[in-house]
């Protein structure tokens, strides 16, 4: 039976030992643990949080911002058992094949292998998430449910389907791991450093601290770092006992190429036919196997190549409101500003206009059903790889004495062009098909002063990127850190580029592939 041990209850300095050490109990870490459960290997899962949310632990995720503030909620990452899957949306999308290839107009694009290498692991991930098979017949489902697609040219704007199953990994797998005799879970165990052998190319152990002052060392044969796209580089950069620039940072790559999906929930479609709602896109539809299907639009790969932009998708959100009224629109953007925590001096003029037109705002809030049906575009686009977009170390320290993360989120002109051109294609198709008309909102430029209305999807990627060349990547094609035979990095921090797809499904596929490598390395069969 698995032991769930609170590190705060262990004797200070007690030596800990395992064969496989998994650092982090989120989507990647728990997936790997599930694959190793029941094998001959003794597995230790080292989780910084407890079984439940704790403000004291969560505060260790505090991030400082360099330049333009990254629009990140303090709770966009969760530091307890199950990680951010404790509140994720459950959308599962494999990255499409074209994103694995080099795109000449996008610097640093492509993966070191093609999509075909990951396909068997995607198949396993479908089963793992209980969302049907890869060849699920969406056409039959939409026909049976009378869910009509919008009449767009599929060569310009395609209808696609996402699968949704909001599995909370901590709650879902705590029992499965409890039945595994080879796994020990250490809770409230914060990794303070990853300790490299001074002469050999391997990791000897990790140093652990608790918030109440205890300290431990854990030794193992294989280590897997699985703490997310911000914490992975922070821990590596804080591990400076042998390499002054940080563990594995000889080429100044760790923390660089930070990517997120750009979320721009702007622009509106006003349909000509106000009597019909396209539920295929606005609702989630339950399948017989108890998972949900959701429709959206994307640009075909060829359209992206012609325009020389990144990957783009958009969802639509149907509602009836006074959205066409300029004061009502200003009230909505004011709400967005408040949610981002913008200071009063940045929003006071907008606030004055809203307050002086309170009657319109009140109708917007209380009589929205009387307005016309509109579809709000929820645009998600790829942020292309950019070495100047990065996670660094702050000079300020957290409660454990580690340097905090400092984040410089840098967008490029191609990122802005992707949003702009993607929305233009939507507008052209809406007009061409005579479905209605689109009110396009101006897209902010890439400079830091005008980005206030561009949001992030909180998908942290790219900061320990994968490349077979150690001068271009932190980990090799197997997610093993260059120069260290027993140290893997799991999660979206290894993504060289992302496409528009939410990262979790690919995180699972890569985690399963790492698991197979570890089994082979330890001869576990």
């Amino acid at each position: 039976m698995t032991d769930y041990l609170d590190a705060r209850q262990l004797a200070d300095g007690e030596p800990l030992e395992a064969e496989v050490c998994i650092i982090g109990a989120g989507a990647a870490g728990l997936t790997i643990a599930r694959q190793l459960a029941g094998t001959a290997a003794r597995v230790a899962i080292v989780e910084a949080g407890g079984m439940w949310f704790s403000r004291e632990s969560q505060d260790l995720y505090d991030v400082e911002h360099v330049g333009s503030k990254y629009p990140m909620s303090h709770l966009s990452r969760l530091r307890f058992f199950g990680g951010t899957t404790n509140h994720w949306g459950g959308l599962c999308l494999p990255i499409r094949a074209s994103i694995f290839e080099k795109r000449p107009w996008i610097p640093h694009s492509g993966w070191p292998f093609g999509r075909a290498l990951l396909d068997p692991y995607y198949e396993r991930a479908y089963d793992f998430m209980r969302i049907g098979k890869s060849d699920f017949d969406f056409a039959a489902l939409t026909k049976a449910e009378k869910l009509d697609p919008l009449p767009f040219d599929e060569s310009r704007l395609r209808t696609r389907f996402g699968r949704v199953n909001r599995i909370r990994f901590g709650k879902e797998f705590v029992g499965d791991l409890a039945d595994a005799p080879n796994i020990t879970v250490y809770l409230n165990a914060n990794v303070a450093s990853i300790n490299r052998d001074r002469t050999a190319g391997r990791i000897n152990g990790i140093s652990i601290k608790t918030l109440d002052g205890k300290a431990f060392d854990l030794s193992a044969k294989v280590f897997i770092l699985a703490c997310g796209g911000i914490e992975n580089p922070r821990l590596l950069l804080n591990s400076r006992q042998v390499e002054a620039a940080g563990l594995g940072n000889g080429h100044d790559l760790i923390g660089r190429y930070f990517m997120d999906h750009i979320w721009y929930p702007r622009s509106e479609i006003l349909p000509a036919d106000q009597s019909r709602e396209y539920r295929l896109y606005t609702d989630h539809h339950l399948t017989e196997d108890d998972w949900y299907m959701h429709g959206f639009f994307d640009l075909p790969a060829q359209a992206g190549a012609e325009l020389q932009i990144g990957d783009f998708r958009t969802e639509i959100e149907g509602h009836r409101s006074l959205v066409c009224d300029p004061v009502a629109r200003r009230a909505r953007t004011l709400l967005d500003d408040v949610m981002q925590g913008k200071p009063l001096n940045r929003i006071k003029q907008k606030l004055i206009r809203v307050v002086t037109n309170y009657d319109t705002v009140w109708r917007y809030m209380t009589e929205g059903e009387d307005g016309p049906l509109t579809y709000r575009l929820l645009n998600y686009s790829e942020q292309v790889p950019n070495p100047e977009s990065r996670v660094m170390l702050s000079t300020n320290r957290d409660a454990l004495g580690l340097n905090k993360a400092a984040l410089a989120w840098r967008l490029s002109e191609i990122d802005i062009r992707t949003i702009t051109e993607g929305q233009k294609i939507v507008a052209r198709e809406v007009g061409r098909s005579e479905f209605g008309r689109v009110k396009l909102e101006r897209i902010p430029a890439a400079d830091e002063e005008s980005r206030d209305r561009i949001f992030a999807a909180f998908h942290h990627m790219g900061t320990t990127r994968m490349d077979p060349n150690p001068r271009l990547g932190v980990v090799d094609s197997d997610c093993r850190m260059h120069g260290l035979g027993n140290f893997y990095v799991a999660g979206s921090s290894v993504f060289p580029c992302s496409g528009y797809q939410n990262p979790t499904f690919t995180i699972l596929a890569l985690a399963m592939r790492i698991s197979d490598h570890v089994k082979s390395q330890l001869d576990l069969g």
Side-chain angles (χ1 to χ4, degrees), residues 150-184:
L150 282 165
F152 295 159
D153 180 354
E154 287 278 309
S155 70
R156 303 303 294 170
L157 193 64
R158 309 184 305 173
T159 291
R160 286 294 177 262
F161 304 96
R163 311 180 195 211
V164 177
N165 191 5
R166 297 184 179 92
I167 293 177
R168 304 295 183 240
F169 280 39
K171 181 178 179 181
E172 182 78 13
F173 302 135
V174 64
D176 292 349
L177 296 180
D179 293 334
N182 64 316
I183 294 178
T184 300

Side-chain angles (χ1 to χ4, degrees), residues 26-33 35-36 118 121 124-125 128 169 224 226 478-479 488-492 494-495 504-518:
L30 290 182
T31 299
I32 294 169
Q35 308 304 303
L36 298 178
L118 269 194
Y121 299 98
R124 286 166 58 177
F128 188 83
F169 280 39
I224 304 164
D478 297 332
C479 299
Y488 296 85
V489 182
S492 53
V494 306
F495 289 15
T504 304
F505 198 61
T506 299
I507 289 173
L508 303 185
L510 288 173
M512 291 174 181
R513 187 165 177 261
I514 290 173
S515 302
D516 284 357
H517 284 299
V518 171

Side-chain angles (χ1 to χ4, degrees), residues 11 25 29 32 42 90 110 112 132 147 151 160 253 272 291 318 332-333 370 387 426 428 431 452 465 474 488 509:
I32 294 169
R42 291 178 294 112
L147 300 170
R160 286 294 177 262
L253 291 173
W291 53 272
R332 192 182 67 194
T333 60
D370 294 333
V426 174
R428 291 190 193 107
D452 289 347
R465 73 191 324 255
V474 176
Y488 296 85

Side-chain angles (χ1 to χ4, degrees), residues 163-454:
R163 311 180 195 211
V164 177
N165 191 5
R166 297 184 179 92
I167 293 177
R168 304 295 183 240
F169 280 39
K171 181 178 179 181
E172 182 78 13
F173 302 135
V174 64
D176 292 349
L177 296 180
D179 293 334
N182 64 316
I183 294 178
T184 300
V185 179
Y186 296 98
L187 300 170
N188 299 300
N190 301 277
V191 174
S193 67
I194 302 164
N195 305 322
R196 177 176 186 159
D197 190 288
R198 290 189 175 274
T199 57
R202 58 179 289 105
I203 299 299
N204 290 332
I206 59 174
S207 297
I208 298 170
K209 291 183 178 180
T210 66
L211 282 168
D212 63 355
K214 292 182 178 178
F216 313 90
D217 287 327
L218 188 151
S219 60
K221 294 180 179 179
V222 174
F223 294 84
I224 304 164
L225 178 62
C227 296
I230 294 177
E231 194 70 358
N232 278 356
R234 184 174 88 102
L235 289 177
L236 294 172
L237 293 172
N238 266 293
S239 299
R240 300 187 290 261
Q241 299 86 341
V242 176
E243 299 172 82
L247 179 61
N249 199 32
H251 298 291
D252 189 27
L253 291 173
I254 289 176
R256 291 190 181 274
Y257 299 96
F258 174 84
M259 299 176 290
D260 202 326
H261 288 120
I262 302 165
W263 182 42
Y264 192 70
R266 293 289 185 270
S267 302
E268 304 277 351
I269 300 174
L270 182 66
D273 183 356
Q274 288 284 306
S275 65
R276 186 177 184 184
E277 295 191 30
Y278 284 81
R279 296 185 303 107
L280 171 61
Y281 308 97
T282 59
D283 298 343
H284 286 66
H285 304 278
L286 185 64
T287 68
E288 292 181 352
D289 296 325
D290 208 30
W291 53 272
Y292 289 87
M293 178 268 287
H294 178 60
F296 62 90
F297 304 104
D298 76 2
L299 302 187
Q302 183 58 37
E306 290 171 2
L307 294 167
Q308 297 201 342
I309 59 175
D311 214 14
F312 175 89
R313 89 169 192 262
T314 191
E315 302 176 9
I316 59 175
E317 175 185 73
H319 55 99
R320 294 182 181 273
S321 72
L322 298 171
V323 71
C324 297
D325 186 286
V327 176
R329 293 174 69 85
R330 193 171 291 119
R332 192 182 67 194
T333 60
L334 175 63
L335 178 61
D336 289 341
D337 292 343
V338 172
M339 292 295 288
Q340 290 184 70
K342 291 182 182 175
L344 181 61
N345 65 334
R346 297 282 299 279
I347 63 176
K348 64 180 181 181
Q349 289 302 319
K350 196 178 297 181
L351 180 62
I352 290 170
R353 294 189 188 102
V354 168
V355 170
T356 55
N357 293 273
Y358 66 88
D359 55 335
T360 299
V361 177
W362 179 254
R363 286 192 298 122
Y364 169 59
M365 295 173 61
T366 62
E367 302 175 18
E369 294 301 321
D370 294 333
L373 171 66
T374 62
Y375 294 109
R376 189 185 191 191
L377 295 183
L378 307 178
N379 304 295
Y380 294 85
S381 65
E382 173 185 20
Q383 180 183 357
V384 301
N386 176 5
E388 298 308 312
S389 183
R390 62 187 300 196
V391 174
M392 303 169 285
L393 292 184
S394 165
T395 56
N396 296 318
R397 296 179 181 268
D398 65 17
L400 296 170
L402 276 68
N403 293 86
K404 294 182 177 183
L407 175 59
W409 189 40
R410 311 285 190 194
L411 298 186
S412 61
E413 291 302 323
I414 193 171
D415 297 324
I416 303 304
R417 197 165 72 246
T418 299
I419 306 171
T420 303
E421 295 299 328
Q423 289 197 125
K424 285 181 179 178
I425 287 180
V426 174
R428 291 190 193 107
E429 278 305 298
V430 169
R432 184 202 60 79
S433 64
E434 299 183 348
F435 176 71
R437 58 190 176 87
V438 177
K439 179 176 177 55
L440 289 178
E441 294 200 12
R442 185 185 67 83
I443 311 297
D447 65 272
E448 295 177 349
E449 295 302 318
S450 58
R451 279 205 351 235
D452 289 347
R453 294 167 66 193
I454 291 180

Side-chain angles (χ1 to χ4, degrees), residues 1-28:
M1 298 290 287
T2 292
D3 290 323
Y4 285 87
L5 303 178
D6 189 332
R8 297 171 300 183
Q9 306 302 317
L10 300 178
D12 188 20
E14 179 179 338
L16 308 176
E17 185 180 356
E19 289 176 278
V20 179
C21 173
I22 302 170
I23 305 169

